[in-house]
Amino acid sequence: PKLNNGELCVTGEAVFQRGDCNFDREVDIADPPSILGHVFLGVFFPPCLDACDSNDDGAVDLADSVFVLRWLFQFGPPPPAPGPFVPGPDPTDDLYGGDLGCEAGTECN
């Protein structure tokens, strides 16, 4: 449970679209620069790091930006579950069994 606007909020699993790093509800050409801005410049702080991990390898890095670009331009496979179209929970553990996190993907935010 957590406090949200003075009300107690019990959260379930966060839901997101894999590859939607800027969390605008679609995976598009704006997402790779968001990933790069976070990884290299520190100017973008994603509301859902799990969504930025587009290749689902458990880390957010340059490979995630390349993965989205390859998929968008039809040279590669789509992002793994929960996929780029329908929001859902993360079915896999992140690197070393940790969790990248997805605060924006809960109904309390």
Side-chain angles (χ1 to χ4, degrees):
K2 60 193 266 190
L3 198 59
N4 185 42
N5 293 330
E7 295 180 4
L8 184 62
C9 183
V10 179
T11 61
E13 278 188 289
V15 294
F16 62 93
Q17 292 167 259
R18 184 143 341 253
D20 181 18
C21 189
N22 63 6
F23 220 71
D24 65 353
R25 307 276 189 236
E26 59 184 331
V27 180
D28 56 20
I29 195 68
D31 293 301
S34 297
I35 296 168
L36 296 174
H38 171 69
V39 171
F40 292 112
L41 302 176
V43 297
F44 177 68
F45 303 97
C48 183
L49 282 174
D50 269 325
C52 297
D53 182 18
S54 62
N55 60 7
D56 197 22
D57 67 353
V60 179
D61 52 23
L62 176 63
D64 296 302
S65 183
V66 172
F67 192 92
V68 172
L69 288 171
R70 288 180 53 102
W71 175 69
L72 286 172
F73 292 101
Q74 300 178 353
F75 296 118
F85 301 112
V86 179
D90 192 354
T92 59
D93 288 333
D94 295 321
L95 196 58
Y96 307 116
D99 184 25
L100 290 173
C102 188
E103 287 293 314
T106 65
E107 58 275 355
C108 295
N109 291 323

